[in-house]
Amino acid sequence: MGRTKNTSSPNRRQHYVPVLILQGFTPSGARDDFLWVHDRKQREPWRVKPDQAAHERDYYRVEIPNVDPNIVETALGETIEAQAAALIQKMNRDQELPRGEGFQILVEFVTFLALRTPSVRRLYERSVELLYRQSAKACLATPDLFHHFIAEQQKSGVEIPPEITYENLRDFALDDNRNVVETPRTKSVQAILLAWKDLTPIFLERQWSLFFARPEDGRLFCSDMPVSITPTSPRLKQQPLGFGLRQTELTVPLSRSMALVGSYESPSVTGEISLDFVRDLNRRTLAFTERFIFSSEKSLLV
């Protein structure tokens, strides 16, 4: 993830797509090589090194008393990512899926890869905001409910300023422009970590296949949504998709020449894929991309 060790100046550029994945989409697969960043909001792509892509300042930073604010960032680099990097190298060398504990670690890594993106974090924050607004409006539906709420707060030792009346609080709660709801970063990070624990068993239920592109066809690309969901049934094409939904496949490009596909209905296989299959996997990734695509090539193979 492009981190440094715990020093007096901790790395604050924290990656939502880890560097160990991004470097696989450089021509050489090396961390000091360059990849292309394609921005769906801009016309021309640009080249950067993996450490300079797919990051946000203090993305995993938490504010908890007596806890290192970089504990999550450090733990990711020293545990799951370090283990996953070794597994991916071995998979590329041996051209087979790991077994036993190695397979468990790989699926844990893929699960967190799916959850750690800014779009998933924003989805959680929007749900918190919606819940807050609904609760506030419910408490202010009538003056009696408001006064009951105030009484309960006072019983708990919360001082309510006398200038807060039912009318002005109701007007404030109903005005979405004034009533801005912000979820603390710490809460978002904690929610993602809890979801990771719950979602990993669901990912483990899928049958995972490992595919390799021939050297001349190795032009898979990755995106800011590195785990994409593709429906395999026509009835699902017009409805929201979830990571645990049946009749879907998860596609995970691990490098420009290697990808995982997880399915409930298809058996686990390992093998070489054709150029048309490479294009199909790229189209899956492209369809799920929010904004950025990371590629070894200036032009995208779709």
Side-chain angles (χ1 to χ4, degrees), residues 217-248:
D217 298 333
R219 292 178 58 189
L220 291 164
F221 54 72
C222 182
S223 83
D224 52 12
M225 294 284 285
V227 181
S228 61
I229 310 172
T230 304
T232 57
S233 169
R235 69 179 182 84
L236 298 179
K237 292 187 181 298
Q238 302 302 319
Q239 75 174 59
L241 302 175
F243 291 117
L245 188 64
R246 301 280 169 170
Q247 296 184 308
T248 62

Side-chain angles (χ1 to χ4, degrees), residues 50 78 81 90 109 115 149 153 170 215 283:
E78 294 180 353
E81 288 187 4
K90 190 173 187 301
F109 171 74
L115 289 170
F149 170 75
Q153 293 300 304
R170 178 199 58 194
R283 285 192 288 267

Side-chain angles (χ1 to χ4, degrees), residues 10-15 55-63 69-70 73 121 185-186 189:
N11 185 15
R12 305 189 72 174
R13 184 168 61 189
Q14 300 173 358
H15 290 76
H55 63 79
E56 291 188 10
R57 181 180 172 86
D58 294 336
Y59 190 66
Y60 302 103
R61 188 179 178 88
V62 296
E63 301 295 339
N70 292 301
E73 167 76 357
R121 183 177 289 190
R185 182 191 294 110
T186 299
V189 173

Side-chain angles (χ1 to χ4, degrees), residues 47-244:
R47 296 178 74 213
V48 296
K49 291 184 178 181
D51 285 277
Q52 300 167 319
H55 63 79
E56 291 188 10
R57 181 180 172 86
D58 294 336
Y59 190 66
Y60 302 103
R61 188 179 178 88
V62 296
E63 301 295 339
I64 302 173
N66 303 316
V67 173
D68 177 2
N70 292 301
I71 186 173
V72 176
E73 167 76 357
T74 302
L76 284 174
E78 294 180 353
T79 55
I80 187 70
E81 288 187 4
Q83 294 170 324
L87 284 171
I88 290 171
Q89 289 178 358
K90 190 173 187 301
M91 289 159 58
N92 191 55
R93 183 177 65 249
D94 299 344
Q95 298 207 346
E96 64 179 17
L97 284 167
R99 299 175 184 175
E101 183 182 359
F103 181 75
Q104 172 82 25
I105 292 170
L106 176 66
V107 175
E108 288 177 356
F109 171 74
V110 168
T111 306
F112 196 60
L113 198 63
L115 289 170
R116 65 196 291 176
T117 64
S119 58
V120 171
R121 183 177 289 190
R122 284 194 296 272
L123 181 64
Y124 164 74
E125 291 172 352
R126 283 197 297 270
S127 68
V128 171
E129 177 183 0
L130 180 61
L131 181 61
Y132 167 81
R133 292 188 188 283
Q134 289 175 336
S135 299
K137 290 173 183 178
C139 288
L140 296 165
T142 67
D144 287 344
L145 286 173
F146 168 74
H147 293 308
H148 175 74
F149 170 75
I150 293 297
E152 291 296 317
Q153 293 300 304
Q154 290 173 337
K155 284 181 184 179
S156 301
V158 178
E159 293 293 331
I160 306 297
E163 62 269 19
I164 293 182
T165 65
Y166 168 70
E167 288 77 12
N168 62 33
L169 194 58
R170 178 199 58 194
D171 293 344
F172 175 77
L174 294 175
D175 187 345
D176 290 347
N177 292 322
R178 293 171 59 204
N179 184 17
V180 177
V181 181
E182 292 186 1
T183 304
R185 182 191 294 110
T186 299
K187 292 292 184 183
S188 297
V189 173
Q190 290 173 327
I192 296 303
L193 293 174
L194 288 172
W196 182 22
K197 178 182 177 181
D198 293 337
L199 193 60
T200 295
I202 296 173
F203 272 51
L204 282 166
E205 290 178 10
R206 291 184 181 261
Q207 298 295 313
W208 290 93
S209 296
L210 181 61
F211 296 118
F212 294 89
R214 296 171 296 189
E216 62 270 24
D217 298 333
R219 292 178 58 189
L220 291 164
F221 54 72
C222 182
S223 83
D224 52 12
M225 294 284 285
V227 181
S228 61
I229 310 172
T230 304
T232 57
S233 169
R235 69 179 182 84
L236 298 179
K237 292 187 181 298
Q238 302 302 319
Q239 75 174 59
L241 302 175
F243 291 117

